Amino acid sequence: MFSPPPALEAGPDDDQLLRVSLGPQHPSTHGVFRMNVVLDGETVVSLKPVFGYLHRNHEKIAESVTYLSSMPYTDRLDYICPLTNNWAYASAVEKLAGVEVPERAEYMRVILGELTRLINHTAFAGFILGDMGAWGSALMYAFREREKILDLFEDVTGARMMSNFMRFGGCRNDLPAGWVDKVSILVDEYGPFLDEMEKFLLGNEILLVRTRDVGQLPKETLINGGITGPMLRAAGVNYDIRKADPYGIYDRFSFRIPLGEKGDCYDRIMIRFLEMRESLKILRQALDQIPEGPFINPKAKIRNFKPPVGEVYARIEGPKGELGFHLISDGTVNPFRYRIRPPSFINLTLLEDMCLGLDLADVVIILGSIDIVLGEVDR
Amino acid sequence: MNNSSIELPAKINRLPAPPKSGRWIMPGLGLFQGLMVAGRNMVESYYKKERMTTIQYPEQRAPISPNFRNFPFLCYDKEPVAGLRCTACSICENECPPKCIYIVLDRDENGKSLKRPKVFDIDISVCMNCGICAEVCPFDSIYMDGEYELSNDDRFGGLLLGLDRLSKSAEYHMQLRPEEATAVLARRKADEEKKAAAQAAKEAKAKADKEAKEKAAAEAQAATEQKGDSV
């Protein structure tokens, strides 16, 4: 049963408390989201998230269309990083149907996936500054670099953001001629950009004061809450699916998992910068090693694709955390059940625990440091 | 979880924390560094070529990538609408994720399929530019267009593309994506030749069969005649 969110007019018993409807309400920030916050002066007493404004019925639609037709809908989940969403869904269906992926396609997926991680973390660095009130420079620098990667995506997939590129058993088309060289140039230029960005942001006293020791939670709470991704690693828990449960060809690359110490907002920003550097390492290795060959398994079926009866859960390490797809097949062209485990949504569940007792201004930074995209939260 | 596969994690290189007294050793140094970065970026944006990215749009246009896709179009070889490659098989209609394609098969007065569409509508206000229709088409008929200036003052009729607005020639496709179009044309030509060869072989075989039959019949007749003669 749908129960309406608590009305703002229903005032608290204590008339010293103040109810505020807070939240990023503009689609260009994090999405459309609302928090019903009860404040005692500046201090947060209670915080109840209200979401669903961007609900698109993705899971139910997927049960009524064919397996392939769900692929473009996964682009719209986390619209900052569509290619990792494609990858997670494709790997779930491949596991279900037992389709092999050729070598070249695996390398293409790693390259595109790591570029997506760069996009996500770069955009995060811009957005978190926007949340602190520095709306402008940092976001523009981040988006300038993001646009270069998006141009590369357009050359390959045909669209900047709505890529719809991965297929069951490979990728849709081959890399265009000269694309690998273009990525190599970008990877070489990205290190200096990260240096510049770190100089620009991470020594800034205002940022230090506002993010240090804000929004900490004990490791146990984070693990019990199912938090994954950079949020968990910032608290010092060594858990990255690329290492813990290697998928694709990640076991071939040498890279390290950066870990934080405290798990406050500063660690969460820092960890993303360090992860970008590790992504650059993976990209360099993948660009050197990428072999020639088919980009899609020639036995893979495009039309009238019917996987055998079964149930799978496949997960990948998305830029925001563990992104998983749970599929149940009854042997027809449509999935019987299609369920997503979105990292943004699960990471958001501990928002209230992080915010209680802090100031109203800290809530905005904590929400920014979780790095949510409402397209994925609401689905 | 296999612990042996996990490498030693890299520790965050944290900046020294401010003293408990709250006084910084050099307050504002980080801010100043950041300002320098911003200042350099601002100055560079006035003279560096790669920073001046604005394109004066209606007069200048950025080149579009060969893989760029927007909305679908239907390909014909010789004459528009009547000469479409489309056979109204409805595969694209079934695979279309937002179900924006509507096809009615053309039939003659006896109800026999003419293998061409009577109605083929694509509502581009619903279309999500995914390109799946082009991918699944087995008849090389539907492709993704690169046209992006589609603003219209009619919300409904103007965005519902019918057969007349969807039909575009094979030359247009060649111009848009030369590589793909060349491959498709070569394959179609090979297919046609194969088909023609198969047809010819079939005809030849039919002819040979017919001749053999005639010969056999003639022989049989001759035999009966001979028999009759001998009797």
Side-chain angles (χ1 to χ4, degrees), chain A residues 65-66 68-69 72-73 76 137 141 144 154-159 162-164 167 172-174 176 196 199-200 202-206 208-209 212 238-239 243-244 254-262 264 266-267 270-271 274 302-304, chain B residues 1-2 5-18 24 26-35 37-42 44 51 64-69 91 94-99 128-132 135-138:
Chain A
V65 297
T66 59
L68 179 61
S69 302
Y73 285 109
R76 274 100 176 144
S137 304
Y141 298 168
R144 184 185 70 207
E154 186 176 338
D155 285 348
V156 183
T157 68
M162 299 302 133
S163 53
N164 179 23
R167 288 289 174 269
R172 194 181 59 205
N173 51 282
D174 205 356
E196 188 191 39
K199 206 169 158 190
F200 184 52
L202 298 178
N204 190 320
E205 278 85 356
I206 300 172
L208 284 169
V209 170
R212 259 177 209 274
N238 188 357
Y239 182 69
K243 288 275 188 199
S254 100
F255 61 101
R256 300 167 88 195
I257 308 296
L259 292 183
E261 281 172 358
K262 287 180 169 178
D264 55 2
Y266 184 75
D267 277 3
M270 204 58 211
I271 205 118
L274 293 171
I302 299 176
R303 285 184 289 274
N304 204 16
Chain B
M1 184 167 135
N2 183 8
S5 71
I6 297 175
E7 286 180 29
L8 203 69
K11 277 270 157 91
I12 282 192
N13 181 18
R14 292 177 71 89
L15 294 162
W24 297 75
M26 179 68 188
L29 184 68
L31 274 174
F32 185 70
Q33 266 190 350
L35 262 181
V37 172
R40 204 180 62 239
N41 268 291
M42 191 193 81
E44 275 179 358
R51 287 287 162 85
I64 62 170
S65 127
N67 275 337
F68 175 72
R69 59 188 146 84
I91 289 177
N94 292 333
E95 290 281 350
C96 177
K99 307 286 178 215
M128 58 205 265
N129 324 87
C130 64
I132 283 181
E135 209 172 314
V136 297
C137 182

Side-chain angles (χ1 to χ4, degrees), chain A residues 27-219:
Chain A
S28 84
T29 51
H30 295 283
V32 193
F33 183 59
R34 197 177 112 200
M35 292 173 275
N36 278 337
V37 187
V38 180
L39 295 172
D40 180 7
E42 274 278 306
T43 315
V44 177
V45 177
S46 135
L47 185 149
K48 297 285 172 230
V50 183
F51 41 74
Y53 297 103
L54 217 57
H55 181 60
R56 303 178 306 284
N57 211 358
H58 172 52
E59 290 176 357
K60 198 70 198 166
I61 287 174
E63 287 165 17
S64 64
V65 297
T66 59
Y67 282 88
L68 179 61
S69 302
S70 294
M71 188 62 84
Y73 285 109
T74 61
D75 295 336
R76 274 100 176 144
L77 271 179
D78 176 356
Y79 36 79
I80 304 272
C81 27
L83 281 157
T84 44
N85 300 340
N86 282 186
W87 190 358
Y89 177 53
S91 63
V93 178
E94 279 154 12
K95 205 171 163 186
L96 184 64
V99 185
E100 293 280 313
V101 184
E103 190 95 330
R104 186 177 171 82
E106 289 279 19
Y107 274 95
M108 283 162 73
R109 286 180 179 190
V110 167
I111 292 171
L112 292 167
E114 292 304 319
L115 283 174
T116 309
R117 202 179 306 276
L118 285 181
I119 285 186
N120 182 67
H121 291 353
T122 312
F124 166 84
F127 278 132
I128 186 92
L129 264 280
D131 287 339
M132 275 176 225
W135 188 254
S137 304
L139 186 67
M140 288 301 126
Y141 298 168
F143 269 44
R144 184 185 70 207
E145 299 302 313
R146 172 176 173 261
E147 202 62 36
K148 289 179 189 167
I149 304 182
L150 290 181
D151 283 348
L152 292 173
F153 280 0
E154 186 176 338
D155 285 348
V156 183
T157 68
R160 284 166 70 247
M161 286 163 80
M162 299 302 133
S163 53
N164 179 23
F165 187 60
M166 311 281 178
R167 288 289 174 269
F168 316 132
C171 300
R172 194 181 59 205
N173 51 282
D174 205 356
L175 303 175
W179 191 80
V180 172
D181 302 326
K182 277 192 204 166
V183 182
S184 303
I185 294 170
L186 181 116
V187 168
D188 291 340
E189 285 173 355
Y190 222 80
F193 162 70
L194 288 181
D195 292 342
E196 188 191 39
M197 203 70 177
E198 282 179 5
K199 206 169 158 190
F200 184 52
L201 297 180
L202 298 178
N204 190 320
E205 278 85 356
I206 300 172
L207 185 136
L208 284 169
V209 170
R210 290 200 63 186
T211 55
R212 259 177 209 274
D213 303 327
V214 169
Q216 290 182 56
L217 278 183
K219 280 182 194 178

